[in-house]
Amino acid sequence: MQDFSPDPISIELNGQDIRALRQSLGLSMERFARVVDVATTTIFLWEKDEQKPNLSGQKKLANVIKQINQYKKNQEKTRNNNVYSQ
């Protein structure tokens, strides 16, 4: 999976990227659809490359990616703090 930018204008996600993102989170299509706030059918169509995310979908995906990146940064800070506090 590529390193995604949280800027919805600059992300070009194909179906494989979206599937990889969903699977990396360990989510079913139904659950991922709830997280992204779209219909499950939309996720299915995106992953099959039968439909591309429109601007609203891009923004929603970018928001999910931004939250994931923030979570990873916080995890890294916590790990580093634990290492330095020992």
Side-chain angles (χ1 to χ4, degrees):
M1 187 165 61
Q2 58 184 295
D3 185 26
F4 299 108
S5 165
D7 178 11
I9 304 305
S10 68
I11 63 172
E12 270 296 320
L13 299 176
N14 63 32
Q16 188 176 3
D17 294 330
I18 294 169
R19 184 179 308 109
L21 173 62
R22 176 179 63 79
Q23 290 176 338
S24 74
L25 298 171
L27 299 176
S28 66
M29 278 189 190
E30 292 82 9
R31 225 169 202 183
F32 188 62
R34 279 187 253 141
V35 168
V36 180
D37 192 28
V38 297
T40 304
T41 309
T42 301
I43 299 297
F44 176 82
L45 293 172
W46 288 351
E47 288 189 5
K48 296 292 182 189
D49 280 324
E50 293 180 19
Q51 183 177 324
K52 294 282 185 194
N54 60 17
L55 185 58
S56 175
Q58 289 177 18
K59 287 180 180 180
K60 290 174 180 181
L61 286 168
N63 186 45
V64 169
I65 293 164
K66 183 178 178 181
Q67 290 178 22
I68 292 167
N69 288 338
Q70 186 60 49
Y71 174 79
K72 287 179 179 179
K73 284 181 188 177
N74 290 341
Q75 291 292 92
E76 186 64 30
K77 282 182 188 178
T78 301
R79 262 195 303 275
N80 288 339
N81 287 341
N82 288 341
V83 168
Y84 293 125
S85 66
Q86 292 179 357

